[in-house]
Amino acid sequence: MAAMARAATTSDAFNAIAEPRRREILVLLRGGERPVTELAHDLGMSQPQASKHLRVLREVGLVRVRGAGKQRLYGLDARGLRPVHEWLGGFERFWSGSFDRLDEYVQDLKQARREEPPDGDDR
Amino acid sequence: MAAMARAATTSDAFNAIAEPRRREILVLLRGGERPVTELAHDLGMSQPQASKHLRVLREVGLVRVRGAGKQRLYGLDARGLRPVHEWLGGFERFWSGSFDRLDEYVQDLKQARREEPPDGDDR
DNA sequence: CCATTGTATGCCTATATCGGAATGTGTCAA
DNA sequence: TTGACACATTCCGATATAGGCATACAATGG
């Protein structure tokens, strides 16, 4: 009942991919399923570290595990990234156009200035 | 010189948009520039809170400020979201297809099996 | 059953976040 | 100048993250 710190990293995909290491893992997994140790090695991180990140990714549903003998094969499940991608898509027009909102803004300015006679501009 | 905690929220766009409140701000700003107080009010947060989040967004370059008399108008600068969107785009084929990598994987299997006569399959 | 290999967890530390409340700074008006 | 309003910053507390290291757990092979 006091102050929360930060949203749990495990809460959603947005938080999960905020961690660079986790992003690397996801990218690697695009190449197919991999056992933990291999991931850890390829990414130059310790096994426990890999396991922990994989846990987070699993908890937000971005990866799936499958036991294969002694190994555990982690595989990508990118469906959870879709909403994130879509959310960002909502901003597409703001960067694809000219200069973010700038020109639009300038339009408004001209418009406004046309409606009330020249006054003082910005300070 | 020991363990880092978590990546600074101010480090990049990925981290900046991991915070729901910040996402709300960005969405609101799609509607055009706004003064702090208005943002705070519309989103039901305290003014200092809004200012802090705006600071972060400013530091990663997702918003711009412009002084307008007593007020400070914050405006969207979505360019920084583009790389994020693109990164996610790299996973598009994994969710748009049928079942993430599954079918693709099955394809490979069939392929492989076609090339070498039935032996032991995936042991 | 024991040893071995592959993973998951627990514990500890340093760091940094987010939120709240209070306070500083800046700008305009009278 | 003083006052009022808009916003920024600082200090505080609570939380939890990411890493390192050691260790527990699991599955397979002897």
Side-chain angles (χ1 to χ4, degrees), chain B residues 60-81:
Chain B
V60 299
L62 289 176
V63 301
R64 245 178 311 111
V65 215
R66 179 170 76 87
K70 294 196 223 177
Q71 315 203 123
R72 308 204 70 196
L73 266 41
Y74 279 86
L76 185 60
D77 183 351
R79 285 171 296 176
L81 292 179

Side-chain angles (χ1 to χ4, degrees), chain B residues 4 18 20 36 41 43 45 65 68 72 78 90-92 94 96-97 101:
Chain B
M4 282 180 295
V36 179
H41 176 265
L43 296 175
M45 58 175 107
V65 215
R72 308 204 70 196
F91 293 85
E92 201 158 8
F94 292 98
S96 61
R101 247 193 88 69

Side-chain angles (χ1 to χ4, degrees), chain A:
Chain A
M1 52 187 67
M4 284 181 294
R6 186 182 195 164
T9 197
T10 180
S11 53
D12 57 42
F14 279 98
N15 278 285
I17 67 171
E19 169 65 50
R21 261 34 228 286
R22 242 124 51 187
R23 261 176 276 154
E24 293 176 31
I25 292 181
L26 292 176
V27 169
L28 237 178
L29 289 182
R30 277 194 308 215
E33 293 181 312
R34 300 261 185 127
V36 179
T37 308
E38 201 177 307
L39 283 170
H41 175 265
D42 286 18
L43 297 176
M45 58 175 104
S46 70
Q47 174 268 309
Q49 215 183 121
S51 279
K52 285 174 188 169
H53 282 309
L54 285 168
R55 179 172 160 75
V56 172
L57 290 172
R58 206 174 48 207
E59 289 180 346
V60 300
L62 289 176
V63 301
R64 247 176 310 111
V65 213
R66 180 170 75 89
K70 296 196 223 178
Q71 314 203 127
R72 309 204 68 198
L73 266 40
Y74 279 84
L76 185 60
D77 183 352
R79 285 173 294 177
L81 292 179
R82 187 174 190 171
V84 182
H85 187 251
E86 281 171 352
W87 184 81
L88 286 157
F91 292 86
E92 202 158 8
R93 66 182 185 116
F94 292 98
W95 71 63
S96 62
S98 44
F99 216 48
D100 43 278
R101 250 194 84 72
L102 198 60
D103 59 354
E104 195 173 336
Y105 169 62
V106 172
Q107 294 301 329
D108 293 351
L109 260 183
K110 287 181 182 164
Q111 184 72 23
R113 192 162 299 177
R114 200 170 304 129
E115 292 178 356
E116 70 177 303
D119 201 290
D121 42 47
D122 60 325
R123 74 175 332 256

Side-chain angles (χ1 to χ4, degrees), chain B residues 44-57:
Chain B
M45 58 175 107
S46 70
Q47 173 267 310
Q49 217 184 114
S51 278
K52 286 174 189 169
H53 283 308
L54 285 167
R55 179 172 161 77
V56 172
L57 290 171

